[in-house]
Amino acid sequence: MKKNYNGIYNRCIKRSFDIVISGVALFILWPLYLIISGAIIIEDGFPVFYRAPRGGYKNRPFKICKFRSMVKNADKIGGGTTALHDSRITKVGNFLRKTKLDEIPQLGQVFLGKMSLIGPRPELLKYVKQYKGEEKDILQVRPGITDYSSIEFINLDEIVGGEANADKVYEERVLPEKNKLRVKYAHTVSFSTDAKLLFLTLGKVIEKAYGYIVKKEHR
């Protein structure tokens, strides 16, 4: 099977698109950054951002950046998987998660080259160390804000269920499937793949946000 991560699109052209699109998005969205930051500070103080190690391009770890949606030191309170109605999530954080606005700080990481707009969702280092065989191909493309697995598991909290078994369910049922989808992306990365995933993601995010804000689902 041809592995597209070796092609010129992944090695050169893709990065150019990332710089232009993320740069424009950052210029347009900076007022939203200020509003969200203010809301987080008012509810739960500093820090505004959540940063944590993830597996990166060419197996170089980096710290992913999100708007903080949980209480301080949430990593020390519970597991790495966010459960359904996780008690660590703040009120502002719940809104950010349901609308996916917690992810937009990653646009800055796309601009700087740590991530890509489209690419395998970066995983916890303990899981990256377990990659074997073709799973190692995941690290041959920049991790992204969205990919096949993001669309498939957009309602991950509902899939893993309650807090007691969240990590176990993720490791046994979700992680193997996510890795297959990450490998699929690495092997099929192209402009057409990225364009398709971008529009599919926008559609899913709008659908999820509409359901939460207008239809009051999953509150």
Side-chain angles (χ1 to χ4, degrees), residues 1 5 8 119 160 169:
M1 178 180 179
Y5 62 76
I8 190 171
V160 299
V169 173

Side-chain angles (χ1 to χ4, degrees), residues 127-143:
Y127 296 135
V128 173
K129 291 176 182 178
Q130 297 172 17
Y131 285 172
K132 56 185 182 295
E134 288 191 327
E135 290 176 347
K136 295 180 180 179
D137 292 346
I138 296 168
L139 302 174
Q140 298 305 311
V141 291
R142 281 185 175 82

